[in-house]
């Protein structure tokens, strides 16, 4: 490979020394950024070569060399380093070849020598001969305009069109030599021939640069598509309707379907956050950019629908509480008319509990939650008051649980009561749930409603009859949570309801 002229090599050394003296702060850049800058620098070199400005292209390539050395320092094992080095060497060889060809294109006979051989340089070229030089100038200008055009035409088309325009110059030069052989040695003709040769060199450089740019562009496109396709494949699992993980960004009242959508929402949100932090050295494909917008829209839509559902539950819970209080107000009318007072069905209590829990999951920190919980506590107190008035009819529900861990559950329920009332004597304990009730919930963890956690809980209801000064029936919640490693937590519990009962009813 031909070496660069000594003048250029010297200049390169000076520039390299200056750049290296100030480059130390840049070493902290990450390798991905440097790779991106190198690729851009190589494309700029090719673009400059298209225009025939080899000196500028050489200067740009020197900066690329500095960046390559920087990449070696920061990340010597970078998997793109060899490819970038090869691109650099190819561009360097092309610049050296073009600069060497251009510098060697001096006319075969210099202007002073022609003037001495044919007479004084003041000799005028015949007007009829000069017409051919004008035709050549016109052809050169047309060819240059074709190369410099910025329209939609391809580089290959411009190269062909420029050479087509130069055919007129070749014909004119041949005619000049045939008809006016003496005029071909005139300084004006020599200069015109030199510009013809330069134009052809420029066309060759443009063609070579276009080819290298196309190769570089193809490599960049391949790298971009490879990076983009990897993410497209990950996202398609959630976007293709036939997939087991197809994500539907809408709310549904079906608990099982909703839990599944919440799980997929959490997965896709996590993957999308990872994607947003990824780097793309060659940019993203159009398909990936469209997919990115679609996913962002679906995630945002789903989150908004959850919030809307929570708002609806706030309204519904408030309405349910109003109706429950009205129900107890009518008990006074029933008693006055001689009828037996009625108690709220446990399904009503459980429904309000679920709605408040759901609102708490979707709108954590909302001030309305405390108000709903306070009203719900008041409602349960009224339930206990009316049960107190019906004390003679209060009995325990039967023991319904048949699992192997029944004894452990009862022991936990008893300990919850004893922790609250240390002096209580446990009279009887029944697990009134026939089996564990499993609840799968995906809930927001903060007020921004962007972070989610997946909670799986199993619970049963236990009735504990205990005696202090009076006899009370305690309804106790006993539950456990699924840990991230797949094991279950220790049992937890709390008293949900407290009702007075007759001691003789404990055994009924």
């Amino acid at each position: 490979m031909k070496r660069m002229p000594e003048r250029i090599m010297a200049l390169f050394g000076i520039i390299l020394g200056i750049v290296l003296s100030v480059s130390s702060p840049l070493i902290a850049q990450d390798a991905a950024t440097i790779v991106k800058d190198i690729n851009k620098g190589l494309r700029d070199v090719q673009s400059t070569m298209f225009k025939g400005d080899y000196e500028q292209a050489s200067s740009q390539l020197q900066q690329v060399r500095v960046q390559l050395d920087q990449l070696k320092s920061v990340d010597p094992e970078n998997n793109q380093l060899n490819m970038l080095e090869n691109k650099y060497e190819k561009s360097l060889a092309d610049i050296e070849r073009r600069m060497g060809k251009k510098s060697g294109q001096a006319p075969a006979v210099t202007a002073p020598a022609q003037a001495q051989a044919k007479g004084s340089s003041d000799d005028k070229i015949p007007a009829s001969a000069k017409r051919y030089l004008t035709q050549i100038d016109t052809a050169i200008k047309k060819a240059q305009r074709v190369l410099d055009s910025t329209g939609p035409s391809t580089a290959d088309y411009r190269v062909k069109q420029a050479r087509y325009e130069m055919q007129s110059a070749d014909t004119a030069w041949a005619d000049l030599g045939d008809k006016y052989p003496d005029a071909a040695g005139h300084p004006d003709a020599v200069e015109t021939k030199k510009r013809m040769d330069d134009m052809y060199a420029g066309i060759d450089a443009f063609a070579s640069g276009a080819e290298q740019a196309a190769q570089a562009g193809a490599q960049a496109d391949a790298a971009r598509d490879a990076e983009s396709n990897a993410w497209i494949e990950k996202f398609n699992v959630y976007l293709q309707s036939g997939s087991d993980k197809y994500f539907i960004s809408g709310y549904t009242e079906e608990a099982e379907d909703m839990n599944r959508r919440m799980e997929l929402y959490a997965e896709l949100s996590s993957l999308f956050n990872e994607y947003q932090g990824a780097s793309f050295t060659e940019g993203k494909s159009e398909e990936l950019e469209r997919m990115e917008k679609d996913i962002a829209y679906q995630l945002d839509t789903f989150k908004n629908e959850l919030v809307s559902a929570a708002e609806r539950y706030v309204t519904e819970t408030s309405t349910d509480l109003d109706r429950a209080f009205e129900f107890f107000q009518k008990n006074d009318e029933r008693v006055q008319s001689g009828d037996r007072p009625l108690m709220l069905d446990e399904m009503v209590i459980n429904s309000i509990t679920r709605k408040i829990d759901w609102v708490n999951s979707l709108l954590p920190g909302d001030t309305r939650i405390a108000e709903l919980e306070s009203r719900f506590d008041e409602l349960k107190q009224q339930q206990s008051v009316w049960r107190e008035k019906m004390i003679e009819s209060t009995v325990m529900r039967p023991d319904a649980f048949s699992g192997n861990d029944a004894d452990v559950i009862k022991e936990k329920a008893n300990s919850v009561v004893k922790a609250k009332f240390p002096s209580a004597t446990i009279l009887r304990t029944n697990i009134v749930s026939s089996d564990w009730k499993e609840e799968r919930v995906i809930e927001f963890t903060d007020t921004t409603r962007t972070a989610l956690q997946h909670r799986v809980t199993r619970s049963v209801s236990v009735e504990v009859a205990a005696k202090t000064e009076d006899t009370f029936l305690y309804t106790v919640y006993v539950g456990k949570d699924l840990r991230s490693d797949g094991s279950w937590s220790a049992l937890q519990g709390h008293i949900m309801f407290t009702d007075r009962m007759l001691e003789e009813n404990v055994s009924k």
Side-chain angles (χ1 to χ4, degrees):
M1 180 174 65
K2 231 174 149 183
R3 295 186 58 80
M4 296 175 65
E6 293 183 0
R7 178 177 63 83
I8 296 176
M9 290 296 291
L11 178 61
F12 174 75
I14 294 172
I15 293 175
L16 180 60
I18 293 173
V19 172
L20 289 176
S21 70
V22 298
S23 65
S24 58
L26 300 177
I27 299 302
Q29 294 184 21
D30 60 79
T33 301
I34 300 174
V35 168
K36 186 175 181 180
D37 290 342
I38 292 173
N39 278 311
K40 182 179 182 303
L42 290 169
R43 289 194 293 270
D44 289 344
V45 168
Q46 295 300 322
S47 177
T48 303
M49 288 176 61
F50 291 167
K51 301 174 183 178
D53 191 348
Y54 305 120
E55 293 288 348
Q56 176 64 19
S58 177
S59 177
Q60 292 171 331
L61 195 60
Q62 292 166 14
Q63 179 61 32
V64 171
R65 178 69 266 171
V66 173
Q67 293 169 331
L68 280 169
D69 292 340
Q70 184 182 350
L71 180 60
K72 287 182 179 180
S73 175
V74 172
D75 187 6
E77 302 299 323
N78 191 281
N79 59 8
Q80 298 193 54
L81 187 57
N82 289 338
M83 177 192 70
L84 294 173
E85 286 278 12
N86 291 337
K87 286 184 179 181
Y88 168 81
E89 293 294 340
K90 189 172 182 180
S91 296
L92 177 62
D94 194 61
I95 289 175
E96 290 180 345
R97 179 172 60 84
R98 297 300 176 187
M99 293 183 71
K101 179 176 181 179
K102 186 174 180 180
S103 62
Q105 286 180 340
V109 182
T110 63
Q114 282 289 345
Q116 183 178 4
K118 297 296 181 179
S120 170
S121 59
D122 294 333
D123 290 346
K124 293 183 178 180
I125 191 170
S128 55
K130 193 171 184 180
R131 175 169 56 87
Y132 294 109
L133 299 183
T134 301
Q135 292 175 0
I136 294 172
D137 286 338
T138 299
I140 292 173
K141 290 177 181 178
K142 288 183 177 181
Q144 189 61 54
R145 280 198 299 270
V146 169
L147 295 183
D148 293 342
S149 64
T150 57
S153 56
T154 64
D156 184 59
Y157 170 81
R158 280 186 275 176
V159 169
K160 291 180 180 178
Q161 188 64 25
R163 285 175 176 158
Y164 173 78
E165 297 292 351
M166 288 302 293
Q167 290 179 10
S168 299
D170 292 338
T171 301
W173 181 258
D175 290 344
L176 178 67
D178 291 341
K179 299 178 181 179
Y180 304 95
D182 291 339
H186 191 277
D188 290 350
V190 171
E191 177 61 27
T192 296
K193 182 63 169 65
K194 179 180 181 301
R195 283 190 285 109
M196 283 180 62
D197 293 340
D198 287 347
M199 188 66 246
Y200 273 115
I203 294 173
D204 289 343
F206 185 92
S208 176
E211 181 181 356
Q212 292 186 25
Q215 293 176 355
Q219 291 177 351
D221 290 346
R224 178 200 63 206
D225 290 344
E227 291 178 337
S228 296
N229 289 340
W231 280 103
I232 289 172
E233 184 176 353
K234 293 178 182 179
F235 286 139
N236 269 336
V237 175
Y238 299 93
L239 302 181
Q240 293 180 346
S241 59
S243 169
D244 292 337
K245 291 192 173 185
Y246 177 54
F247 173 60
I248 301 175
S249 56
Y251 178 80
T252 176
E253 293 289 346
E254 294 293 332
E256 186 175 347
D257 287 346
M258 194 60 207
N259 281 336
R260 180 58 174 163
R261 293 179 193 184
M262 290 285 282
E263 290 175 354
L264 295 176
Y265 171 79
E267 288 182 17
L268 183 54
S269 294
S270 176
L271 182 62
F272 194 64
N273 288 338
E274 179 186 348
Y275 162 78
Q276 290 179 311
S279 62
F280 293 83
T281 57
E282 300 296 341
K284 304 172 185 176
S285 68
E286 292 183 1
E287 181 181 359
L288 180 59
E289 288 179 342
R290 288 194 300 270
M291 185 174 285
E292 176 182 340
K293 293 179 181 178
D294 181 42
I295 292 172
Y297 174 78
Q298 290 199 46
L299 292 176
D300 189 57
T301 297
F302 189 69
K303 185 166 67 173
N304 289 338
E305 287 213 10
L306 292 183
V307 174
S308 296
E311 293 288 347
R312 185 168 66 253
Y313 280 130
V314 169
T315 302
E316 290 180 1
T317 303
S318 181
T319 300
D320 290 346
L321 288 169
D322 290 341
R323 290 173 178 169
F325 283 118
E326 291 175 3
F327 175 86
F328 282 131
Q329 288 174 2
K330 292 181 180 179
N331 262 353
D332 291 325
E333 300 174 7
R334 296 186 185 99
V335 172
Q336 290 175 4
S337 63
D339 294 331
R340 181 182 178 85
L342 301 177
M343 306 299 297
L344 281 174
D345 191 280
E346 187 176 352
M347 292 179 62
V348 175
I349 300 294
N350 291 339
S351 175
I352 296 175
T353 301
R354 285 195 301 270
K355 289 178 180 179
I356 292 178
D357 287 344
W358 185 235
V359 173
N360 212 350
S361 297
L362 297 179
L363 301 175
D366 194 292
T367 56
R368 294 170 296 178
I369 296 173
E371 179 184 352
L372 293 174
E373 290 177 337
S374 176
R375 292 189 66 199
F376 190 36
D377 287 340
E378 182 183 349
L379 179 69
K380 288 186 286 186
Q381 288 174 8
Q382 286 200 24
Q383 176 91 328
S384 295
V385 168
W386 281 105
R387 193 180 295 278
E388 177 88 6
K389 295 178 181 180
M390 301 170 60
I391 185 171
E392 72 279 358
S393 64
T394 300
V395 295
M396 297 183 69
R397 285 177 288 176
D399 203 353
F401 191 85
S402 59
N404 295 330
D405 43 0
D407 291 341
V408 177
I409 295 172
K410 290 180 179 180
E411 182 180 347
K412 179 62 183 179
N414 293 340
S415 68
V416 169
V417 173
K418 292 287 287 184
K420 186 76 172 179
F421 307 101
S423 64
T425 300
I426 306 299
L427 303 176
R428 184 180 178 186
T429 304
N430 287 348
I431 304 175
V432 297
S433 299
S434 61
D435 199 354
W436 289 105
K437 176 186 176 183
E438 185 169 297
E439 181 185 23
R440 294 177 175 267
V441 177
I442 295 180
E443 54 194 6
F444 292 120
T445 60
D446 57 25
T447 56
T448 65
R449 293 189 290 279
T450 55
L452 290 171
Q453 68 178 7
H454 186 192
R455 176 171 58 81
V456 179
T457 301
R458 286 181 177 175
S459 64
V460 293
S461 293
V462 183
E463 288 187 352
V464 179
K467 184 176 181 179
T468 52
E469 294 179 359
D470 289 315
T471 302
F472 292 92
L473 178 63
Y474 301 100
T475 303
V476 181
Y477 166 94
V478 176
K480 55 185 177 180
D481 294 330
L482 183 66
R483 298 190 183 102
S484 59
D485 63 359
S487 63
W488 291 95
S489 69
L491 293 177
Q492 310 162 42
H494 62 269
I495 297 174
M496 296 188 291
F497 307 108
T498 301
D499 299 302
R500 209 157 65 88
M501 68 182 301
L502 300 176
E503 184 174 353
E504 57 262 31
N505 286 350
V506 171
S507 60
K508 291 183 178 180

